[in-house]
Amino acid sequence: MTNLFGTNLHLPEGYMAGIAMHEMSLCESILQVLEQQAEAQQYSRVKTVWLEIGALASVETEALRFSFDVVVQGSLAEHAQLEIIEVPGQAWCMPCGCNVVVQQLYDLCPHCGSHQLQVNSGDQMRIKELEVE
Amino acid sequence: MCGVCGCGEGHSHSHDHDHEHPHDHEHHDHDHHHDHDAEHAHAPGLSQKRMVQIEQDILAKNNRYAAENRSYFGERGMLVLNLVSSPGSGKTTLLTETIVRLKEDLDITVIEGDQQTTRDAERIRATGVPALQINTGKGCHLDAHRVGHALETLQPKNHSLLFIENVGNLVCPSAFDLGEAHKVVILSVTEGEDKPIKYPDMFHAADLMILNKTDLLPYLDFDTEQCIQYAKQVNPRIKILSLSAKTGEGMDSWLRWLKAELELQRIDYA
């Protein structure tokens, strides 16, 4: 693995540096998991990584794809394909007493307009499965 | 190699350093180690594609360190607050003004997170309490691992108050649990009332919002009621305090909140 934040790294124009750095450190965490699992699961190459990313997880998937390709250079996951499964946001509406779909944390209940919502799905960031050899 | 977490074996340090040459060298050694392991597993006959179920949270590692920090704080009956905001909201001034008012009664320590410089830690130390600066370099947030190491250096006392002043950033620190009792988000009235809905993750993650620099309200078009409504829309449970760290107006409620929260941490539950 090369120096991930080395001086030769140039982010494309238009990326807010702070946000891209966030996805970059998430990708470092992903790579750590892939490396840790390599021994236990007896693999030497990772071909595909399936991620489950919630709509409310504050992850920019395009920045994540870009960062992933940079971070895995020279590692066991170099050239691995990233498959992102997007999970919709869901919250429990207290006045309605049922689950509703939300796109953003500040959304109101689509039925009653209340903001008494408790997010119960869609904030996850998980590595689901891998294709390895 | 660190006795607590065994971090010398991982990559977790690699993004934290200002990549001086000697460091790079050291990390290359680690990298070789990993590559070697990977090659070792590559035995003839095994190189077939197959699926592996992982089902692991991407932030699982950070969350494990955060859980360790939380039990460290719990055993010592400490109150630990993670202060988050955009740059320039007045976090450090709020801290120094808070410390000056509480340091005679309470043991206080501070962890300062900034990308560069030790200016904030110096401002805190000038009040007479111990402060440790963590420079995240190009990193945009503090993580639980680095906070754990800061504790080894700071050695906070039992029943003390620890403030962690995070990197000025309303985006990334929301996702990284440090083991704190509460995230406290500070918003200054010069920033505009729509910040809670522009950066909803942070306001969703916080338990308390402090509306700072209220002494400037007469000169601004800031709509306080609207701001509070936005914050509650994103997080119905959030508590809100208005104050001016500069004039001291409203500081009393904040100090009472701190003392009450510390008292809760001191309770020995069965």
Side-chain angles (χ1 to χ4, degrees), chain B residues 16 18 112-118 133-137 146:
Chain B
D16 297 337
D18 290 334
E112 281 288 338
D114 276 302
Q115 286 199 316
Q116 297 296 343
T117 83
T118 57
Q133 182 84 47
I134 298 177
N135 283 140
T136 56
R146 301 204 75 182

Side-chain angles (χ1 to χ4, degrees), chain A residues 1 5 22 25 28 32 35 41-42 44 50 58 105-106 115 125-132, chain B residues 11 15 31 38 42 49-56 58-59 61 141 172 197 201 232-233 236:
Chain A
M1 195 168 70
F5 299 99
H22 178 55
S25 48
E28 278 205 303
Q32 280 171 9
E35 288 176 339
Q41 308 266 14
Q42 291 282 301
S44 59
W50 277 269
S58 61
L105 288 173
Y106 52 81
H115 58 73
M125 295 186 267
R126 291 174 69 78
I127 305 174
K128 200 155 172 59
E129 58 182 348
L130 309 175
E131 185 187 36
V132 298
Chain B
H11 287 285
H15 62 289
D31 299 340
H42 186 84
K49 282 188 190 176
R50 63 196 160 90
M51 302 301 288
V52 175
Q53 300 288 322
I54 294 273
E55 295 286 350
Q56 195 169 332
I58 294 174
L59 295 176
K61 192 175 173 187
H141 57 267
C172 313
I197 52 169
D201 297 300
K232 292 199 166 169
Q233 189 175 327

